[in-house]
Amino acid sequence: MTRPGQRLIVAQGGEGGLGNASIGRDVRLSKGNRQEEVARLSTGQPGTESFLVLELKSIADVGLVGLPNAGKSTLLSALSRARPEIADYAFTTLRPNIGSLTYDDYLSVKVADIPGLIKGAHENRGLGHAFLRHIERTKVLSYVLDLAATLNGRKGIPPWEQLRDLVVELEHYQEGMTKRPSLIVANKIDEEGADAMYEELKGRVQGVPIFPVCAILQEGVPDLRVGLRDLMDASDRQGVDLSKIIVD
């Protein structure tokens, strides 16, 4: 069900029978004729029965995709007036948050903060299917990468490997999903050592624009807004090619 006013038959009614209402009420009917009328009566046939599982898939123009704690919810709050729950632990977001990004010409772009994905999400690890299905209805993908995941003693994943893992999960879930127009948000650029990580990221990923951002301080957010608008308007929009991501 994807269009306003769309209708779908999910259970077919049974064939109706002939009840008392079908018998003529003419008092002049003879006893024999009335018995004939009664003999024509029949019961209705049962209709079909269906057991339905209904899934609501969020509809948005832009989907913010990333690993847990990449800063997607903070970025959404920086781009829009949405106020999702933000915390420093994984899986803070369990359902998509949607905000509106409005431009000076009154164009409104819906941005969805997709809950964090982990390795094996396409196999439903970490509620992967519940999260991935919301990406199906987005037009543009914004990969949010954590530049600080391995800095200052943190035992995270380098941003280019984060991107590789995200692309693999999306492709395993639905082939061709990563061909959608895409850009990369290199988040947490304010962290010590993040500038060098950003430069290395640019050398390891080709064919897609990369925007350095500190969502919590809103640094780089105006440029990202412009980048999202350009991506929505562009005619030759590129997705992320797994072969153009260099990992060790």
Side-chain angles (χ1 to χ4, degrees):
M1 306 287 286
T2 58
R3 300 187 305 275
Q6 184 178 355
R7 294 184 178 185
L8 178 68
I9 296 176
V10 297
Q12 186 70 47
E15 184 178 352
L18 293 174
N20 290 337
S22 66
I23 299 179
R25 296 183 177 277
D26 191 341
V27 295
R28 291 171 295 179
L29 285 174
S30 66
K31 183 178 180 180
N33 288 340
R34 182 167 292 276
Q35 288 178 339
E36 291 179 5
E37 290 287 326
V38 171
R40 292 195 308 108
L41 299 182
S42 62
T43 59
Q45 300 300 313
T48 57
E49 295 184 3
S50 300
F51 180 79
L52 305 177
V53 177
L54 304 180
E55 292 186 350
L56 174 64
K57 297 178 180 177
S58 300
I59 301 175
D61 299 299
V62 179
L64 303 180
V65 183
L67 302 184
N69 280 88
K72 301 179 297 298
S73 297
T74 305
L75 181 59
L76 178 65
S77 66
L79 287 169
S80 69
R81 294 183 179 179
R83 292 295 176 264
E85 181 181 356
I86 299 171
D88 59 355
Y89 53 83
F91 297 110
T92 308
T93 303
L94 294 178
R95 58 182 57 86
N97 297 298
I98 298 180
S100 294
L101 173 56
T102 305
Y103 292 90
D104 292 339
D105 60 357
Y106 302 105
L107 173 70
S108 180
V109 174
K110 298 296 183 182
V111 181
D113 163 23
I114 307 297
L117 303 176
I118 63 172
K119 267 191 173 182
H122 71 281
E123 297 175 340
N124 207 27
R125 293 179 185 173
L127 299 177
H129 288 178
F131 299 162
L132 283 164
R133 69 184 184 212
H134 295 286
I135 306 175
E136 295 179 30
R137 305 290 293 277
T138 59
K139 301 174 183 177
V140 170
L141 297 180
S142 175
Y143 295 90
V144 183
L145 308 180
D146 182 357
L147 291 177
T150 59
L151 298 178
N152 303 317
R154 298 184 181 96
K155 297 181 180 180
I157 304 173
W160 44 89
E161 292 186 17
Q162 296 174 37
L163 180 62
R164 188 261 325 264
D165 291 348
L166 291 169
V167 170
V168 168
E169 292 302 326
L170 295 186
E171 278 299 306
H172 279 153
Y173 178 73
Q174 185 180 96
E175 186 176 354
M177 184 179 285
T178 58
K179 294 181 180 179
R180 297 179 187 182
S182 303
L183 58 74
I184 294 172
V185 177
N187 196 25
K188 306 182 184 179
I189 190 65
D190 61 310
E191 293 271 356
E192 183 180 354
D195 286 329
M197 193 67 69
Y198 168 61
E199 292 300 324
E200 187 168 356
L201 176 65
K202 289 194 297 181
R204 288 176 176 267
V205 178
Q206 291 85 39
V208 61
I210 304 176
F211 293 86
V213 165
C214 173
I216 196 168
L217 299 178
Q218 299 204 8
E219 293 179 4
V221 172
D223 291 338
L224 176 59
R225 289 170 57 96
V226 174
L228 288 171
R229 176 63 184 268
D230 291 343
L231 200 61
M232 295 287 295
D233 294 341
S235 57
D236 57 341
R237 302 178 290 183
Q238 299 292 322
V240 176
D241 187 342
L242 186 60
S243 66
K244 296 183 178 180
I245 303 174
I246 302 173
V247 296
D248 297 329

